């Protein structure tokens, strides 16, 4: 069978009613290549006077990868970055030893009605780079390569495929593609990475004839596959080299060392991590998931 596991989403509230459908990590599949986290949000209509803002919160040991199909978000972080995130761009934030960021409704859309729809993924940094300097990289939509492959329009967001190479710089072999197929469209997907999975964004797919329902992530067996979209579909492909070691995850922290998660939790609770300029209202440390750090139950910022 071409699909080893079909992963179904479970819904999570990130705060303020901002709901996402989470595919990774799953009990049957903790990661695909370096990808350890896969959230799909929307389509959700934003109205004047409402906002699904995500207040400042910390990360370590990973890179977040944000990609919008529709809408807009304002990214701010503890490096002083202020970046409007728009459809088709890749926004890669390397947390390394520690970064804090927020995602909010852009000011120019405060009185607008619009749709937000996109994906946020996490990539585990290689062990030797887990404590790297934090950084943020924005690659606008116009700078990401696009081509026609079979019936598919393919955008190479991260990595290399079909003779196209993304300008996004990564610390380990990583693959991330956005494909669009018209009704009855077909495309042959060769082996592009040691580990790979296909996500059916908005319609059912057939993978070598096997059904992959809309909104599910199909982890692929080794080997090429043929993709078919009877009703037309958008899909993404993720993959890359396997993780160099198991990862521990708690809240927004990732590390190959379990004790590092407790250290990060203690730093956040004590207010030792840098803040996002002008945004003192942070998300507090959860009450569970850590060996309770000394000095209180939440951040003091």
């Amino acid at each position: 069978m071409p699909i080893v596991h079909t992963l179904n989403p479970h819904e999570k509230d990130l705060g303020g009613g901002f709901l996402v459908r989470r595919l990774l990590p799953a009990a049957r599949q903790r990661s695909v290549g370096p990808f350890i986290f896969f959230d799909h949000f929307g389509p959700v209509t934003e109205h004047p006077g409402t906002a699904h803002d995500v207040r400042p919160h910390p990360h370590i040991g990973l890179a977040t990868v944000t990609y919008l199909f529709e809408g807009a978000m304002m990214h701010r972080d503890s490096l002083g970055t202020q970046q409007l995130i728009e459809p088709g761009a890749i926004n890669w934030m390397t947390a390394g030893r520690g970064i804090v960021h927020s995602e909010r409704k852009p000011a120019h859309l405060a009185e607008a009605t619009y749709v937000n729809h996109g994906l946020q993924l996490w990539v585990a940094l290689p062990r030797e780079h887990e404590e790297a300097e934090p950084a943020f990289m924005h690659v606008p939509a116009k700078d990401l390569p696009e081509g026609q492959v079979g019936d598919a329009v393919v955008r190479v967001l991260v990595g290399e495929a079909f003779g196209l190479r993304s300008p996004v710089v990564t610390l380990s072999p990583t693959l991330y593609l956005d494909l669009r197929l018209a009704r009855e469209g077909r495309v042959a997907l060769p082996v592009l990475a040691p580990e790979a999975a296909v996500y059916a964004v908005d319609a059912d797919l057939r993978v070598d004839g096997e059904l992959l329902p809309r909104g599910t992530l199909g982890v692929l067996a080794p080997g090429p596959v043929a993709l078919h979209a009877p009703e037309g579909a958008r899909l993404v492909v993720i993959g890359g080299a396997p993780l160099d070691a198991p990862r521990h995850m708690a809240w927004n922290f990732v590390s190959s060392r379990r004790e590092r998660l407790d250290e990060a939790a203690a730093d956040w609770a004590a207010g030792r991590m840098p803040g996002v300029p002008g945004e003192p209202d942070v998300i507090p440390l959860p009450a569970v998931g850590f060996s309770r750090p000394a000095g209180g139950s939440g951040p003091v910022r």
Side-chain angles (χ1 to χ4, degrees), residues 20-156:
V20 300
R21 297 178 297 284
R22 183 159 298 165
L23 284 301
L24 287 176
R28 291 183 294 164
Q29 189 80 32
R30 303 298 295 174
S31 60
V32 177
F35 291 96
I36 55 172
F37 191 90
F38 190 117
D39 275 359
H40 182 186
F41 56 90
V44 59
T45 301
E46 301 284 354
H47 299 282
T50 64
H52 295 106
D53 290 348
V54 180
R55 293 173 293 156
H57 57 282
H59 292 286
I60 66 162
L62 58 87
T64 65
V65 191
T66 306
Y67 184 68
L68 293 182
F69 301 122
E70 299 178 81
M73 302 167 66
M74 178 58 72
H75 165 97
R76 296 185 179 90
D77 63 39
S78 51
L79 302 176
T81 308
Q82 297 189 44
Q83 178 63 55
L84 179 64
I85 297 176
E86 296 180 294
I90 278 289
N91 299 272
W92 183 288
M93 186 183 74
T94 300
R97 60 180 172 77
I99 197 168
V100 178
H101 76 127
S102 66
E103 294 158 324
R104 299 185 183 271
K105 175 184 280 191
H108 73 280
L109 294 176
E111 301 304 318
T113 298
Y114 63 99
V115 173
N116 253 354
H117 184 203
L119 303 172
Q120 188 171 89
L121 282 57
W122 293 359
V123 169
L125 298 178
R127 280 183 298 178
E128 64 268 28
H129 296 293
E130 285 184 314
E131 300 296 324
E133 288 294 313
F136 182 84
M137 173 172 45
H138 170 79
V139 179
K142 66 180 179 61
D143 291 342
L144 292 169
E146 180 176 302
Q148 186 77 32
V149 181
D151 296 329
V153 177
V154 179
R155 303 188 76 231
V156 179

Side-chain angles (χ1 to χ4, degrees), residues 193-218:
E195 296 183 356
V198 175
Y199 180 62
V201 174
D202 58 5
D204 293 351
L205 292 171
R206 294 281 175 177
V207 180
D208 279 353
E210 183 178 350
L211 176 65
L212 182 66
R214 177 177 68 87
T216 63
L217 183 70

Side-chain angles (χ1 to χ4, degrees), residues 182-194:
R183 184 182 178 90
E184 295 295 350
R186 299 174 184 269
V187 64
L189 191 67
V191 176
L192 297 171

Side-chain angles (χ1 to χ4, degrees), residues 252-285:
N252 299 314
F253 304 138
V254 173
S255 181
S256 58
R257 297 185 297 116
R258 181 64 181 84
E259 64 273 16
R260 181 67 179 94
L261 307 183
D262 289 336
E263 292 170 6
D267 287 342
W268 183 242
R272 289 192 291 266
M273 296 185 76
V276 177
E279 296 193 25
D281 183 21
V282 304
I283 298 177
L285 186 74

